[in-house]
Amino acid sequence: PDETVVAVLKDRIAESDCKNGFILDGFPRTIPQAQTLERLGVKIDLAISIEAADELIVKRLSGRRACLKCGATFHVDNAPSKAGDKCDRCGEPLVIRADDKPETILNRLATFHQQTEPLKDFYAALGVLKLVDTIGIEETTKVILKLLEEAGK
């Protein structure tokens, strides 16, 4: 339940290693979770939304391939196995995980649009939302690090 997750989070961020700040990745996921954080006094200084079209997300995620034996992962476009449909490390066949099938990704995206995307308006109203277009891993990382640095000042 949300109350349990938020209570665990509140206890965790009260630890000394969080006194100068912390990053939440993928939480909150719903407006009620965000409202619970606010009621508990957890202040969000910056909310970053990495923007990508659904088609791009489906293409990226459905291109992943995994080796069930050794755990190695590949991507058909960005990091293909040199051995084609076999693992470079151990030679076992590569598979598409259930989570990486297009129909599963589309279901997850529908849930995101319904439950999580409204958080953008919530955090925009608080003046802490920043949108970052996905422009490649390195450039997106640079933009996010700059936003984090600016928020920490």
Side-chain angles (χ1 to χ4, degrees):
D2 287 352
E3 293 78 22
T4 303
V5 174
V6 172
V8 169
L9 173 70
K10 188 169 182 189
D11 287 346
R12 177 60 186 96
I13 62 177
E15 297 289 328
S16 63
D17 62 334
C18 294
K19 71 179 179 183
N20 293 322
F22 53 88
I23 295 174
L24 301 176
D25 181 6
F27 188 87
R29 290 186 184 272
T30 64
I31 298 237
Q33 289 175 346
Q35 291 169 330
T36 300
L37 284 177
E38 278 197 329
R39 280 193 303 278
L40 292 172
V42 177
K43 184 178 181 307
I44 302 296
D45 299 316
L46 176 65
I48 298 173
S49 177
I50 301 173
E51 302 289 302
D54 286 1
E55 299 79 23
L56 179 60
I57 293 169
V58 170
K59 182 177 185 215
R60 286 181 179 172
L61 295 180
S62 64
R64 290 194 292 202
R65 300 296 181 266
C67 176
L68 297 179
K69 182 176 181 185
C70 74
T73 58
F74 302 89
H75 191 279
V76 294
D77 295 323
N78 302 327
S81 168
K82 293 176 184 75
D85 60 353
K86 304 259 189 233
C87 178
D88 287 349
R89 292 187 192 166
C90 69
E92 288 293 310
L94 297 176
V95 300
I96 301 173
R97 300 176 322 169
D99 279 358
D100 294 336
K101 292 184 178 177
E103 58 274 12
T104 304
I105 298 165
L106 289 169
N107 286 335
R108 288 168 46 203
L109 284 168
T111 299
F112 169 81
H113 291 305
Q114 179 185 34
Q115 295 179 6
T116 305
E117 197 162 36
L119 282 169
K120 291 197 292 191
D121 290 337
F122 180 87
Y123 285 116
L126 295 175
V128 297
L129 178 68
K130 299 293 182 186
L131 304 178
V132 176
D133 288 324
T134 179
I135 42 182
I137 293 172
E138 292 82 14
E139 191 59 33
T140 301
T141 300
K142 286 179 190 175
V143 170
I144 291 171
L145 289 173
K146 185 173 191 259
L147 288 171
L148 290 169
E149 182 181 313
E150 291 170 359
K153 291 181 182 175

